[in-house]
Amino acid sequence: MAFALFRLALALLVTAASAQALKRDGKSRARGPASPRFAMHHVEFDDSAMVARSNGTALPPYDTVYYFDQLIDHNNPGLGTFQQRYWHTHQWYEPGGPIVLFLPGEDNAASFTEYLTNQTFPGQIAQQQRGASVIIEHRFFGESNPYSDLSGSSLEVLTIQQSIDDLEYFAQNVQLPMPNGSNLGPDKAPWVLTGGSYGGALTAWTMVNKPGLFYAGYASSAVVQASIDFWQYFDVIRQFMPQNCSADVQAVIEHVDTTFTSGSTAEIDDLKSNFGLLNMTHLDDVAASFRNILFGWQSLAPYYGAGAEIFEFCDALEVKDNVSSGANGWGLDNALPAWGDYWKNTYVPIACKDDDVEYVDCKTSADSSLMSDRDCLGTYNPTMDRWTNTTVNNAERSWQWLVCNEMGFYQDGAPSGMPTIASRLLSPVYEERQCTFYFPDKFKTAPDPRADATNAAYGGWDLTVDQLFFANGKRDPWRDATTSTDFHARQSTSSMPIAESDGFHCNDLISSAGTLDATIRAVQQQALGAMAAWLGAWQPGNRDEHENALERREHGGSAKFVRSVMRR
């Protein structure tokens, strides 16, 4: 009963609307990619309806698309330009107000138009400060592509620095579709950069790399510290998921690791059969499948209702004969067959449908409707469409390029001696191998992402930027990549506040989250107060300060020193 009551209370605050770990019907995908993209939250509304200013003036609908001629390569402008999409409204704008630019990050930006409105926090900033709202699509995502495919050769110009340079070039050269829109650059109006998750990190990294260009910033759940072995992702889930379920998941995973590393062939086959995975060849793929259901945790939020798949899974483990286990769970003897039943009867049939759990070859399959090879849980066949599809608007592929080269963020089991809900059979090597399948023309051997170089270039946990507000969530599985990590103490200051709610990943970006969770509301109110104070002190002339700061940095000044010079 204790678990059922806990689940009921928590279910009122969470959801399973994961964009990566769940399908639109709320059920599991077969498996995530090497490093799943970050889950961003959305508000359903009609973005095709006409918009009106407070005086009744009609404006274009929020879904109106605009195009900006962006440089293909900022290091070689002679290569020409590509069309970068953006969205815009000046619904609340009054002369002197800010330009609030939102970064949707690693996705097709067409689905983020609500971030122009006051249903989201960037829109709240624009409304409060009488500013204009802008959303810009990241290069190589959606329809903002410098080249016609996503081959390794094309993706050479997909880097963090090129993406940062895009924002500078856009802010300094865009002619916004509004009155006086060609005269609202960062030297004429204060620009506020906002984003969540990777977009939040890009916000912070840009303000470090381009000091003074953006007058203020708001970074939600910003993953500023790149990390190859990001085992902490599952550790946050372990701490905050129902503790009886956590205990039993740990017990099963320990049994899986022991059996797969030292068991006999018969014992290994028996264990795979328990989960309906006897046909799987590679034990690390089997172990990886057990973490898939956990990825939905990053999409939980106070503004959704019950039905999160992780809680359905926990019910399957912890409710027996209508009785819930205690805080320590039922133990391995119950959890192992219960997990197996859930996998065979619920997870695998939904995730894999009629496919083989590991691999389906269209050339030998009896199903004549198959047009291409496909798999469900396996990762070892290099000819799969997952690896070879280079068509544009494939967000997973573009994201994996960044992951394989500059960030890592590989989620795996905790180090030996620590509790873990993810198998220790999983290590960065398992994920890095997949980079060679995605990009065989670029990686002949498994690459080590340049995470240390990324942290050195942009500051990581140690970055310091004036007038940048960090908003983090205590239950966010990405928390230890943010400035609220348990592994690197940072002090919140008036010039760079670090606020933490009881929320999950990027919950504070949705306005209504604050009405359902007082801790999120407190973060939102603190941030709005900071924006009012910072923007109230803005004076024209930032372009000159920006150029002076860059010159100082070229002569050896640190990012922190440069910012202090600019704000004196």
Side-chain angles (χ1 to χ4, degrees), residues 6-22:
F6 178 87
R7 180 181 183 276
L8 176 61
L10 191 57
L12 296 175
L13 299 177
V14 298
T15 185
S18 169
Q20 281 70 55
L22 305 177

Side-chain angles (χ1 to χ4, degrees), residues 470-533:
F470 284 106
N472 300 318
K474 187 179 297 183
R475 292 181 285 182
D476 181 4
W478 294 98
R479 186 187 69 208
D480 285 314
T482 76
T483 51
S484 290
T485 178
D486 293 334
F487 295 87
H488 193 85
R490 288 301 306 268
Q491 287 294 116
S492 176
T493 66
S494 59
S495 61
M496 195 183 83
I498 302 173
E500 188 177 52
S501 73
D502 290 339
F504 299 87
H505 192 62
C506 293
N507 290 171
D508 51 277
L509 286 176
I510 302 298
S511 300
S512 60
T515 66
L516 298 174
D517 187 303
T519 66
I520 295 175
R521 180 62 175 169
V523 170
Q524 292 172 336
Q525 289 297 106
Q526 182 184 349
L528 288 173
M531 290 295 165

